[in-house]
Amino acid sequence: MSFRGLRTSKFRHVFGTAMRKDSHYEGIRVTRNSWDSTFCAVNPKFLAIVTEAAGGGCFLVLPIEKAGRVPNNPPMVAGHRAAVLDIQWSPFDDTIIASCSEDMTIKVWVIPEKGLEESITEPEASLESVHQRRVGFIAWHPSAHNILMSAGSDNFVVIWNVGTEEPLSLIECHTDILWSCGWNYNGTRIVTTCKDKTLRVIDPRTGDVISERKKAHDGAKPQRAVYLKDGRVFTTGFSRMSERQYALWDDNNLSEPITLEEIDTSNGVIFPFYDPDNNMVYLGGKGDSNIRYYEVTEQSPYVHYIDRFDTSDPQRGLGFMPKRGVNALQNEIARFYKLHPNKCEPISFTVPRKSELFQEDLYPDTASQVPALSADEWIEGKNADPNLMSIRDEFASVLPAKPKLAGLKKPNALNRPKLAPSKPTSTNSVRDSAPPKPAPEPTPPPPKVERSPPARERERSPPREVHRGSGDRTSVAATAQKLQQQHNAYERQEVHAREEPRQQPAAPQPQIPPDFDFQELLEEVKGLRALVRQHERRIMNLEDALGIGD
């Protein structure tokens, strides 16, 4: 039975859970910078957090499995001359991270496989001499290798070739400080928000503005924007009355929003985190103590509210784990790393399922670490979607294997060998094996013998005289001779039957199939014997317990 207005979704019951205290990262001096950034980046290997430092900018890198209290003076990535404002891991190498700073530079670092054993001060690449003011945001290209975008307070957006440390294009269409920038799914467009309240969709190679919308949100506070997988744009901002909002736009036509909804009246800037595999958006505000999550669909109202995760402590920043790092064994679809003033707390979002098997519908193929394009190919104008990988392959060693229904070699229990039809057998084998008896000759009735009267009658009556003629004597002798002949013939038949061997019908030979597995039959017999012995022991134990044994 279906109810009108009830939307069907596999994510309706998603819930968030704060992980246990032994999985927290404690003793971290999280930065107190007022810049609107998340200050945290995470991948399946490492967790990076921007920390408080004096005389320069640095950030901490920890192996993801080493939870607990951080040492007092841990090794840092310290190469910037001013505060670090944003950090981002490479989508194709879990050991490469980029950072931008107030010192107007972008630096790219390589982290050892086992983590930091000493502080690093020399980057692998340094991108500088283009931005004239602080660099606030960076973003890696989703499908091309070594392509990085940066946005600064000098109103410039720069596309870099990290391998050669050279700028590829300089976008100068903005009239004020940028608030956010991001790539679309295959890296053919970028979306930016600016202090002039204008939402822009731009070609990253040429810098041409494809479409724009002035006053996407009427409020004067910062706006954020992310591209969705299908080409739509999701934005967060404020209304004229300082109410927080979200909106959904068509990137080819920004004249009117597809939908625009108010959230609440808080003051913190909302950061949208997008999951392209499940088409879900998570909203976490700086200074808030909750994370809201929505599902974006093609059906009105397009952005469907699911639920929110609440805690008692406000968050200074958030890190979003890529889908490669979630725990598919527990149906985890998202994981955040929430920054507190002195620690980092993981938060897991899971879908409740009764089955313990791998849930294929929750984990479609996700972006892999293999780039679809090289930097030179992207510069030449080639486009490609990100290469995909299966989440099941990542957990192949611990997930139960799929049952193989077609490869079983067990014989069919219903395919019994056909037995040859047998003749009905009689219970008297001697008579069946003996030759048929000849039909006996009709026996004349025995002669009538007159009984002599009792003694008393004989005394009373005078004796009678019996006169036998020659004909009567002849008939009696003939009858006696025939009886003797019949008796002799029957004895001969009995002797003949005892001397001949018994000839029973041959038993039909069962037809054994050529692919019959005798070894499997023996194993089944052994199993049945073991089962019988087990039941015998149980019966003996029960008899001993009840005292009814012999």
Side-chain angles (χ1 to χ4, degrees):
M1 180 177 180
S2 62
F3 297 91
R4 182 175 298 177
L6 184 63
R7 189 179 66 92
T8 302
S9 173
K10 56 191 172 185
F11 302 111
R12 287 180 58 202
H13 304 290
V14 173
F15 66 95
T17 305
M19 292 190 178
R20 297 181 302 177
K21 191 174 181 180
D22 57 1
S23 62
H24 295 183
Y25 304 84
E26 299 182 345
I28 303 173
R29 297 176 58 196
V30 179
T31 181
R32 292 176 292 180
N33 197 312
S34 61
W35 183 252
D36 290 324
S37 178
T38 58
F39 299 124
C40 181
V42 63
N43 64 24
K45 284 187 179 180
F46 297 108
L47 169 67
I49 301 172
V50 179
T51 58
E52 192 71 18
C58 62
F59 58 94
L60 177 67
V61 176
L62 298 172
I64 201 72
E65 69 275 3
K66 288 188 178 180
R69 180 164 292 276
V70 177
N72 292 331
N73 295 313
M76 296 278 188
V77 179
H80 288 283
R81 299 186 303 272
V84 175
L85 300 181
D86 195 10
I87 50 178
Q88 295 292 332
W89 290 101
S90 170
F92 309 117
D93 192 337
D94 288 340
T95 62
I96 295 179
I97 186 171
S99 61
C100 62
S101 169
E102 289 183 353
D103 62 5
M104 302 176 291
T105 63
I106 303 104
K107 297 184 185 296
V108 180
W109 315 84
V110 177
I111 308 300
E113 287 287 343
K114 296 183 180 180
L116 294 178
E117 296 180 356
E118 59 182 4
S119 296
I120 299 177
T121 58
E122 293 297 328
E124 289 294 323
S126 182
L127 312 178
E128 53 191 18
S129 301
V130 176
H131 288 289
Q132 303 302 317
R133 297 181 66 182
R134 63 183 178 184
V135 183
F137 305 101
I138 51 177
W140 292 93
H141 195 283
S143 59
H145 192 45
N146 287 339
I147 300 296
L148 182 68
M149 175 175 59
S150 63
S153 297
D154 54 2
N155 308 341
F156 292 159
V157 175
V158 184
I159 309 298
W160 300 86
N161 185 348
V162 177
T164 60
E165 303 182 14
E166 296 176 351
L168 299 177
S169 64
L170 180 63
I171 302 172
E172 304 177 274
C173 60
H174 301 89
T175 61
D176 212 329
I177 297 175
L178 281 98
W179 279 333
S180 70
C181 59
W183 300 90
N184 67 346
Y185 182 68
N186 59 2
T188 57
R189 295 181 178 184
I190 62 172
V191 60
T192 63
T193 57
C194 184
K195 195 174 181 179
D196 60 6
K197 303 180 185 180
T198 303
L199 175 67
R200 295 179 176 88
V201 175
I202 305 170
D203 186 338
R205 293 187 178 94
T206 63
D208 298 334
V209 177
I210 300 174
S211 58
E212 65 179 6
R213 162 73 184 209
K214 294 182 179 181
K215 293 186 178 181
H217 296 275
D218 294 332
K221 294 182 180 180
Q223 305 173 12
R224 309 283 293 192
V226 292
Y227 246 113
L228 303 187
K229 187 176 181 179
D230 57 4
R232 293 178 292 180
V233 177
F234 186 92
T235 62
T236 60
F238 292 82
S239 68
R240 187 174 300 175
M241 304 300 294
S242 295
E243 297 171 332
R244 296 198 292 189
Q245 300 173 330
Y246 69 79
L248 188 65
W249 308 82
D250 182 359
D251 65 342
N252 293 316
N253 183 13
L254 298 178
S255 59
E256 292 295 334
I258 299 174
T259 182
L260 176 65
E261 295 291 338
E262 294 182 356
I263 302 174
D264 55 19
T265 56
S266 181
N267 295 324
V269 177
I270 294 182
F271 297 98
F273 300 89
Y274 176 59
D275 179 5
D277 301 327
N278 295 328
N279 220 29
M280 293 185 62
V281 176
Y282 301 83
L283 302 182
K286 193 172 182 178
D288 291 352
S289 58
N290 56 60
I291 300 175
R292 296 176 175 87
Y293 40 102
Y294 303 79
E295 184 180 5
V296 184
T297 66
E298 298 289 342
Q299 302 173 355
S300 179
Y302 307 104
V303 181
H304 304 272
Y305 174 76
I306 299 177
D307 203 349
R308 74 179 189 178
F309 169 76
D310 293 298
T311 59
S312 58
D313 300 323
Q315 53 214 13
R316 285 196 175 183
L318 289 171
F320 187 53
M321 173 69 78
K323 191 58 67 70
R324 295 181 291 109
V326 300
N327 188 357
L329 300 177
Q330 297 180 359
N331 298 335
E332 183 184 36
I333 61 171
R335 189 191 306 167
F336 284 87
Y337 287 78
K338 175 182 176 180
L339 297 185
H340 296 261
N342 58 355
K343 71 174 183 178
C344 178
E345 176 188 15
I347 298 173
S348 174
F349 290 84
T350 58
V351 178
R353 293 282 176 91
K354 293 183 179 180
S355 175
E356 297 181 357
L357 300 177
F358 179 76
Q359 305 298 314
E360 298 280 356
D361 60 328
L362 299 181
Y363 300 99
D365 291 347
T366 188
S368 69
Q369 291 185 278
V370 180
L373 297 172
S374 65
D376 295 335
E377 290 174 337
W378 186 82
I379 295 170
E380 293 172 359
K382 295 183 180 179
N383 298 319
D385 291 342
N387 289 323
L388 302 180
M389 58 171 286
S390 173
I391 298 295
R392 172 180 278 275
D393 296 341
E394 291 292 310
F395 294 87
S397 58
V398 292
L399 285 174
K402 291 183 178 180
K404 297 180 180 180
L405 301 179
L408 298 177
K409 295 183 179 180
K410 187 175 180 179
N412 188 355
L414 301 178
N415 188 14
R416 300 294 181 85
K418 295 182 179 180
L419 302 179
S422 58
K423 296 180 180 180
T425 57
S426 175
T427 55
N428 192 348
S429 59
V430 175
R431 292 186 179 181
D432 292 341
S433 60
K437 297 180 181 180
E441 298 180 1
T443 305
K448 186 176 180 181
V449 179
E450 293 183 1
R451 297 179 60 184
S452 59
R456 295 179 181 179
E457 294 181 358
R458 288 198 303 269
E459 291 176 357
R460 293 177 184 177
S461 60
R464 293 185 301 171
E465 293 182 1
V466 179
H467 299 281
R468 296 179 181 270
S470 60
D472 294 337
R473 289 193 297 269
T474 303
S475 61
V476 172
T479 301
Q481 185 178 1
K482 288 182 179 180
L483 290 174
Q484 185 64 33
Q485 290 176 358
Q486 293 177 2
H487 178 70
N488 295 339
Y490 180 76
E491 286 185 351
R492 286 193 300 270
Q493 291 176 1
E494 290 292 338
V495 172
H496 180 72
R498 286 194 298 270
E499 291 179 355
E500 287 185 355
R502 298 180 181 180
Q503 298 179 357
Q504 297 183 358
Q509 297 294 332
Q511 299 178 1
I512 301 177
D515 57 347
F516 187 76
D517 192 353
F518 289 96
Q519 186 65 29
E520 186 173 358
L521 180 61
L522 293 177
E523 293 295 334
E524 291 183 0
V525 172
K526 290 180 181 179
L528 291 175
R529 289 180 177 176
L531 184 62
V532 170
R533 287 195 296 268
Q534 182 180 359
H535 283 293
E536 289 179 350
R537 286 194 297 269
R538 291 180 62 187
I539 292 172
M540 293 175 62
N541 293 335
L542 289 174
E543 289 179 348
D544 293 341
L546 298 175
I548 59 174
D550 294 336

